[in-house]
Amino acid sequence: MSKFFDGLEKYIYWTSIPKIGLNDIVDILIVSVMIYLIVKWIKTTRAWVLLKGIIILLCIAFAAYLLQLHTVSWILSNTMGVGITAILIVFQPELRSALEQLGRKNWVTDIFSTDSRQEELEYTARTLQEISRAAIEMGKVKTGALIVLQREVALGEYERTGIPIDAKVSSQLLINIFEHNTPLHDGAVIIHNNRIVSATCYLPLSDSVEIGKEMGTRHRAAVGISEVSDSITVIVSEETGGISIARDGKIIRHLDPQRLRDELAVLREEKGQNKKFKLWKGRNRNEKKNGK
């Protein structure tokens, strides 16, 4: 009988709600704010994609533990320490930038901001038409250009290497930016939220051996940015006037005007499919509710 009461007492102890003091509340608030700020910072860098990969690895490790997959568990546990060191080395520029911003930010305003506007990530038909029109016109006169269209992976670290523009996308403005002997013609233009965010941006060069020797620095930079992000880059050759597009570490060359428009239209088709999926899920929920 005594064993029964001992077990009952332990059960009540573990299921009882602990007393929460003022120190505990402050502790929870500080940790919550830290997690919020870290996640918010990660979403503005390419580390966001890495975080998704880490979450997948953690899920695999948890599944391996449950299923008693000893070999998989051993490999993951022995490579975790090396992986953390590699992350610190690869993302050293982002970590340094975050520490530099630590003292400049107004954290109170940032945390309690009432601005509830959401970024519109979809590229409008007008924006894509203006980009294709500018590329075609620059190709006719052999004006070199490098136009990066940001998608889900943020390109903030590359935007900061250029000069802020924050202007509505128009073919006239793009042509003027890349005009020879103008202050902004060298480097890349980054477009986000249907606006030209920055010009004269420096992009990482690709080390791929698949890129032909006839292609210069502009094409290597376009492939390089597509290797580290999901962006799409439009390139206009200064030597031949040919138009190319780089995405997913690959380059598609010698595009005619119609093919260029078709390649850019993918941006709208993908967003349209996502919207249909969301609408379908919402419709399913409504049907279930009505059925009940």
Side-chain angles (χ1 to χ4, degrees):
M1 198 68 176
S2 60
K3 289 183 179 180
F4 172 76
F5 284 113
D6 289 340
L8 183 62
E9 185 179 352
K10 288 181 181 179
Y11 175 78
I12 294 171
Y13 172 77
W14 286 109
T15 58
S16 61
I17 299 173
K19 293 180 181 179
I20 299 177
L22 181 60
N23 292 344
D24 299 317
I25 295 173
V26 173
D27 194 18
I28 292 170
L29 286 175
I30 291 173
V31 172
S32 301
V33 169
M34 287 176 62
I35 292 173
Y36 166 75
L37 294 175
I38 290 171
V39 172
K40 188 175 181 181
W41 168 74
I42 288 175
K43 287 192 73 173
T44 61
T45 67
R46 56 195 176 100
W48 181 245
V49 178
L50 179 70
L51 180 63
K52 293 179 181 178
I54 291 173
I55 292 172
I56 292 172
L57 285 177
L58 290 175
C59 293
I60 293 172
F62 182 67
Y65 173 76
L66 291 178
L67 300 173
Q68 297 296 307
L69 304 177
H70 302 294
T71 306
V72 176
S73 299
W74 181 85
I75 292 172
L76 291 174
S77 61
N78 283 275
T79 56
M80 197 65 72
V82 179
I84 293 172
T85 305
I87 289 169
L88 293 175
I89 294 172
V90 171
F91 290 95
Q92 183 267 340
E94 286 88 346
L95 294 172
R96 180 178 177 180
S97 176
L99 291 174
E100 288 174 351
Q101 293 176 18
L102 190 63
R104 295 200 301 262
K105 263 195 173 183
N106 188 341
W107 297 110
V108 176
T109 306
D110 191 48
I111 295 168
F112 297 102
S113 175
T114 57
D115 188 7
S116 60
R117 292 178 299 175
Q118 294 182 348
E119 289 186 331
E120 180 56 50
L121 298 176
E122 180 183 351
Y123 285 99
T124 63
R126 179 198 167 278
T127 295
L128 300 179
Q129 183 180 1
E130 292 295 321
I131 293 170
S132 60
R133 184 182 299 166
I136 294 166
E137 292 300 321
M138 287 187 287
K140 291 177 180 177
V141 293
K142 297 183 179 180
T143 299
L146 198 57
I147 305 170
V148 182
L149 286 81
Q150 178 179 316
R151 299 169 78 186
E152 292 186 9
V153 177
L155 302 176
E157 60 180 296
Y158 304 108
E159 291 175 13
R160 288 190 287 272
T161 64
I163 298 173
I165 302 294
D166 192 23
K168 191 175 182 180
V169 177
S170 69
S171 58
Q172 294 87 348
L173 179 56
L174 288 171
I175 292 170
N176 190 64
I177 287 174
F178 289 108
E179 187 64 36
H180 294 290
N181 302 320
T182 57
L184 300 179
H185 86 283
D186 195 20
V189 159
I190 294 179
I191 297 176
H192 178 50
N193 274 3
N194 295 295
R195 297 185 71 81
I196 300 175
V197 179
S198 189
T200 69
C201 299
Y202 295 104
L203 304 180
L205 298 180
S206 174
D207 295 325
S208 175
V209 295
E210 296 180 4
I211 301 176
K213 297 293 184 183
E214 70 278 6
M215 289 186 280
T217 306
R218 186 174 284 111
H219 290 81
R220 284 196 172 273
V223 176
I225 193 67
S226 71
E227 289 174 341
V228 299
S229 71
D230 59 347
S231 62
I232 289 182
T233 304
V234 178
I235 316 107
V236 181
S237 173
E238 193 171 358
E239 287 75 24
T240 64
I243 301 173
S244 308
I245 276 185
R247 63 180 299 179
D248 302 325
K250 305 292 182 181
I251 190 165
I252 307 171
R253 302 183 63 196
H254 308 302
L255 299 178
D256 55 43
Q258 186 57 49
R259 179 77 187 279
L260 173 63
R261 295 187 189 99
D262 292 341
E263 290 292 334
L264 292 179
V266 172
L267 291 168
R268 286 187 56 79
E269 289 172 4
E270 290 176 354
K271 288 295 178 181
Q273 288 173 1
N274 291 339
K275 281 185 175 180
K276 287 178 182 177
F277 182 64
K278 289 177 181 177
L279 288 172
W280 179 79
K281 287 200 299 184
R283 191 178 297 115
N284 260 1
R285 291 195 195 102
N286 292 333
E287 288 175 356
K288 287 179 180 178
K289 287 180 181 178
N290 293 333
K292 289 179 179 178

